[in-house]
Amino acid sequence: MVGSNMSASNVEHVDLEKFIAGVKSRNPGQPEFVQAVQEVSQDIFEYIKDKNQYHEYQILRRIAEPDRVVSFRVCWEDDNGNIRVQRGWRVQNNNSIGPYKGGIRFHPSVTESVLKFLAFEQTFKNSLTGLPMGGGKGGANFNPKGKSDHEVMRFCQSFMTELFRHVGADVDVPAGDIGVGAREIGYMFGQYKRITNKFEGVLTGKGLEYGGSLIRTEATGYGAVYFLNNMLGHLGQGLEGKTAVISGSGNVATHAAEKVTQMGGKVLTLSDSEGFIYDPSGLDQSKIDWIKTHKTVRRGRISEFVKAFPGAEFHAGKRPWSVACDVALPCATQNELNGEEAKMLVGNGCIAVSEGANMPTDLDGVHVFKSAGILYAPGKAANAGGVAVSGLEMSQNSARISWKEADLQKLLVDIMGDIHARCVEYGGTAGSKRIDYVRGANVAGFKKVADAMLAYGVV
Ligand code: NDP
């Protein structure tokens, strides 16, 4: 830790209540960001109560103030010749332990508040992976749904025409997120290369032909299931024979479903923003493959699943949390599981929740899971497998080599095991097998970033 010249005796400690009031007043109209900071702060204040330096150096206050937020205009022309104007952002939250790193989201619901919450969470998540990555996030209020390939290409190129100034292999390395998959990463990487004349690892999630890593696509969903299995394993159980309810039908959800089935579980549901499908016979690999193709190639709706597989039901406008299950994996978006729905899950016998999405459970829902004492893994721990393999993609790009799939698969399993172990270390209670995974992830993630910040002094 840093040697301090400051006089500890005169430094005033802000309490939790005042701290949260300050966050609220400095970030008006940013509920998602305030919610994320609130969720973390309680655990951190408890952890630092007898650790003066963290207070004196205002570490949490500084992590909760992004290094910078860049906001910019993105103009593009649609297929009918209309000029469209969108807003893009890059939030660079904290680079104390490595270059900023975090996905890009294209969705009409994207706001500065959503991206600030995601960049804040990302800072803790990236720290938990044990890899040298800071926290960032970006995106635009652009809806890729219903757009032609050429429209998406023109948008991505325009977005990168501004973003390129703020990113770089050693500066900030974005990846995909909601609405940004292999296609969008390809268009953005192509534009970056064209503008800068540099072929460097500026983005992860790239195609295998141009610097991408094996298993990056699968890593978030697979990792969330490994984490779930680690939690069950801690109690002497496994996934074999367990029923699973999963939300979403994008990258994270479909790969989570795939790994659950591979590990002997039965997946009953998937969903999209229009409703959920329930298949009592379980989603096997061929059904999951059908959904992957349907969503990413045909860009169709999940409701169409029941035409191809008549044994399944579609529940329009509903979320899947009323379906009885042993384990649940929310893998769609933030605040998609509220207190009432959490009660339904617990009441129907759910024993474990592993968040593939970022902050899918709202504060009431988290409270229900914690009070019920079920296994509950927050996204910053459970879905860290994606960014971990992104970190491995950065290493491969720097060394200009490609690692073998088997080695990467093992690294992913090991990293998720290490994250679980850190959560157990910081979230455990003496004499009990019960782990507070939220506290464990918050404190373990905070500590590494905080100690690096202390080493730098006040910057
Ligand atoms: P995708 O775009 O591939 O899929 C998103 C899925 O969520 C789609 O099924 C989409 O339905 C659904 N969805 C999106 N918004 C809503 C909404 N408001 N209500 C209901 N359903 C919604 O994204 P990803 O799978 O990549 O990301 C899912 C979550 O995982 C996000 O929270 C993301 O931040 C998180 N995450 C992703 C990582 C990654 O590697 N991709 C890494 C770590 C976290 P529809 O098709 O109707 O839009």
Side-chain angles (χ1 to χ4, degrees):
M1 281 208 193
V2 72
S4 166
N5 294 324
M6 295 167 84
S7 151
S9 54
N10 296 331
V11 174
E12 206 183 306
H13 287 196
V14 175
D15 66 20
L16 176 62
E17 218 170 294
K18 263 198 197 153
F19 177 77
I20 296 297
V23 172
K24 283 183 180 159
S25 75
R26 283 189 299 277
N27 300 280
Q30 303 200 342
E32 295 86 359
F33 177 64
V34 171
Q35 180 185 340
V37 177
Q38 229 170 334
E39 189 260 317
V40 165
S41 303
Q42 202 160 357
D43 290 327
I44 302 303
F45 266 75
E46 177 60 27
Y47 174 69
I48 66 174
K49 66 174 187 275
D50 53 356
K51 298 177 179 65
N52 273 337
Q53 273 188 310
Y54 296 128
H55 283 288
E56 287 166 28
Y57 279 82
Q58 298 270 354
I59 299 292
L60 186 58
R61 166 85 169 81
R62 285 157 64 193
I63 298 178
E65 191 68 44
D67 289 356
R68 66 190 63 78
V69 179
V70 184
S71 153
F72 50 95
R73 184 181 63 234
V74 187
C75 302
W76 58 286
E77 190 177 340
D78 70 19
D79 287 346
N80 298 322
N82 301 304
I83 302 305
R84 306 279 199 101
V85 182
Q86 243 78 49
R87 188 170 298 169
W89 290 268
R90 187 69 185 165
V91 179
Q92 297 180 329
N93 195 68
N94 189 296
N95 68 350
S96 299
I97 60 167
Y100 303 106
K101 178 94 198 87
I104 291 178
R105 178 176 292 191
F106 291 162
H107 195 272
S109 65
V110 166
T111 61
E112 189 172 314
S113 168
V114 167
L115 296 176
K116 277 172 67 180
F117 119 62
L118 289 163
F120 177 77
E121 286 280 295
Q122 194 83 41
T123 303
F124 293 80
K125 182 192 309 192
N126 292 1
S127 163
L128 271 176
T129 65
L131 299 173
M133 300 180 290
K137 200 85 188 186
N141 59 352
F142 169 73
N143 189 358
K145 253 181 241 163
K147 306 287 189 301
S148 71
D149 273 357
H150 280 189
E151 288 177 325
V152 170
M153 180 184 74
R154 287 194 290 275
F155 179 81
C156 288
Q157 290 175 340
S158 181
F159 185 80
M160 185 50 90
T161 301
E162 172 61 30
L163 188 71
F164 89 96
R165 298 172 214 287
H166 313 289
V167 296
D170 295 317
V171 180
D172 184 351
V173 183
D177 191 73
I178 292 179
V180 177
R183 173 181 65 168
E184 292 76 14
I185 293 286
Y187 292 145
M188 286 191 275
F189 187 76
Q191 184 72 348
Y192 180 85
K193 191 170 66 58
R194 177 189 188 192
I195 297 173
T196 62
N197 200 26
K198 282 188 198 155
F199 193 109
E200 60 172 21
V202 66
L203 293 168
T204 57
K206 299 186 290 299
L208 295 177
E209 308 77 13
Y210 57 95
S213 175
L214 287 164
I215 84 157
R216 172 60 190 90
T217 313
E218 299 87 343
T220 308
Y222 280 17
V225 178
Y226 293 145
F227 198 93
L228 173 63
N229 200 45
N230 287 332
M231 291 198 295
L232 292 167
H234 193 70
L235 297 184
Q237 298 192 38
L239 260 174
E240 182 75 39
K242 298 236 173 358
T243 51
V245 160
I246 303 181
S247 64
S249 50
N251 174 277
V252 180
T254 53
H255 291 103
E258 186 168 291
K259 187 49 74 180
V260 168
T261 60
Q262 285 172 9
M263 294 181 85
K266 183 173 168 184
V267 177
L268 299 175
T269 68
L270 284 173
S271 70
D272 67 14
S273 50
E274 292 178 358
F276 76 90
I277 52 152
Y278 168 56
D279 188 337
S281 61
L283 298 172
D284 60 15
Q285 188 63 49
S286 65
K287 291 175 183 170
I288 295 168
D289 286 343
W290 186 93
I291 292 169
K292 278 186 191 172
T293 309
H294 188 63
K295 294 297 284 190
T296 57
V297 180
R298 293 191 288 274
R299 304 211 175 255
R301 310 306 305 154
I302 195 93
S303 55
E304 283 143 356
F305 180 82
V306 297
K307 288 186 207 143
F309 301 95
E313 299 163 11
F314 175 65
H315 296 262
K318 298 250 163 47
R319 303 193 282 215
W321 315 123
S322 58
V323 174
C325 61
D326 298 314
V327 299
L329 291 122
C331 295
T333 192
Q334 67 271 7
N335 292 329
E336 54 159 324
L337 204 170
N338 62 28
E340 284 309 308
E341 291 163 321
K343 279 186 200 153
M344 261 194 286
L345 278 170
V346 172
N348 286 333
C350 178
I351 58 164
V353 176
S354 181
E355 294 184 341
N358 285 311
M359 208 168 75
T361 311
D362 73 9
L363 288 172
D364 289 344
V366 174
H367 181 69
V368 171
F369 291 146
K370 280 182 148 191
S371 323
I374 69 162
L375 300 168
Y376 167 61
K380 65 171 78 67
N383 71 31
V387 75
V389 174
S390 275
L392 303 179
E393 183 173 331
M394 289 165 72
S395 302
Q396 294 171 79
N397 291 167
S398 298
R400 303 199 188 288
I401 52 171
S402 299
W403 295 339
K404 292 195 174 68
E405 178 169 351
D407 296 338
L408 288 157
Q409 292 281 13
K410 183 173 179 324
L411 280 167
L412 175 61
V413 171
D414 289 351
I415 290 170
M416 295 315 295
D418 289 347
I419 297 173
H420 183 263
R422 275 183 211 115
C423 291
V424 171
E425 183 183 348
Y426 289 98
T429 312
S432 161
K433 277 227 144 230
R434 198 161 150 181
I435 308 298
D436 183 338
Y437 285 94
V438 177
R439 172 160 53 89
N442 285 338
V443 173
F446 170 80
K447 189 174 181 316
K448 184 173 170 191
V449 176
D451 289 347
M453 290 173 74
L454 287 177
Y456 302 142
V458 182
V459 289

